[in-house]
Amino acid sequence: VQKIDQCSTLLHEAKSRLSEAGYEIQTVRIATNPFGEWLTLKHDASINHLTSTSDDVSSQPATKRAKQSSPENKDEVDESTISERLQKLNNILSQHDIGFLSLGPSTCPRHTTSICPKIVSIAPGRFSCSANVDACDVESARAAAKCVQIISTLGTDDESHLAGGLGNFRFCAASCVASGVPFFPAARGASLTDTDTIFPKIGFGIGLENGEFALN
């Protein structure tokens, strides 16, 4: 909660100053480090590193973790606990007027197929995530493809953020995406294993549309 509060303060201050300077700010967003480092673990995860982006003004946090999650990691919580954590996080973001949050990339094929659809399914569509797929990593690529298929089947007519496969606007397969990149759903904060991150704690970035400002 403290890290979200810090990011919120940074983002809304940036939004205010940019608006005063005559720029249109569409959304404020936060991106975290890979969710396998905090969302799925039994210990209490606290967010340590954040980055922000604006146009999208977004902040990106990295959280404490004991070790990388793996298919056999006994330190993981069950899926119902993950859902509870996501709902709690969703409420906190709503209280801080944060429009969107990227939970970083999945680095485990099992997480890609079981947890990424759960992340995307949370109403009202505030969450997004990605799957890290390196060159020649067939297992991760197949898991990402399966995740896309699962997400396409989610939702009803009453759930507009999922209906008609819209949930796949909040998931993607990605590779070579550095921490600090502000474009969702691939945006992410620094992993706790990153040694060359430019955002060691709380960072800030601006995601631009292809307009005159970007060209100039």
Side-chain angles (χ1 to χ4, degrees), residues 99-145:
F100 299 96
L101 181 139
S102 171
L103 283 78
S106 166
T107 58
C108 167
R110 181 174 59 86
H111 285 172
T112 300
T113 56
S114 64
I115 299 177
C116 287
K118 187 178 296 293
I119 289 171
V120 170
S121 71
I122 301 295
R126 192 188 312 271
F127 294 147
S128 63
C129 60
S130 61
N132 186 68
V133 181
D134 294 326
C136 301
D137 187 348
V138 176
E139 183 182 11
S140 292
R142 287 175 173 168

Side-chain angles (χ1 to χ4, degrees), residues 42-87:
K42 288 182 179 179
H43 68 80
D44 292 332
S46 61
I47 295 176
N48 290 334
H49 307 107
L50 298 139
T51 310
S52 313
T53 344
S54 149
D55 161 26
D56 304 342
V57 184
S58 250
S59 252
Q60 302 169 345
T63 58
K64 276 186 182 176
R65 96 198 213 283
K67 57 183 177 180
Q68 186 81 16
S69 295
S70 66
E72 304 301 326
N73 191 345
K74 296 181 180 179
D75 292 334
E76 291 186 1
V77 298
D78 57 33
E79 291 192 13
S80 64
T81 301
I82 291 173
S83 294
E84 291 174 3
R85 290 180 175 180
L86 288 171
Q87 291 291 356

Side-chain angles (χ1 to χ4, degrees), residues 5 31 48 51 138 147 156 185 191 193:
D5 185 63
N48 290 334
T51 310
V138 176
C147 181
T156 66
S191 168
T193 62

Side-chain angles (χ1 to χ4, degrees), residues 152-193:
S152 71
T153 66
L154 298 177
T156 66
D157 292 339
D158 296 327
E159 295 176 308
S160 59
H161 72 292
L162 294 173
L166 288 177
N168 275 310
F169 280 104
R170 288 176 289 279
F171 172 79
C172 72
S175 183
C176 300
V177 177
S179 62
V181 170
F183 299 104
F184 280 45
R188 72 175 186 88
S191 168
L192 296 182
T193 62

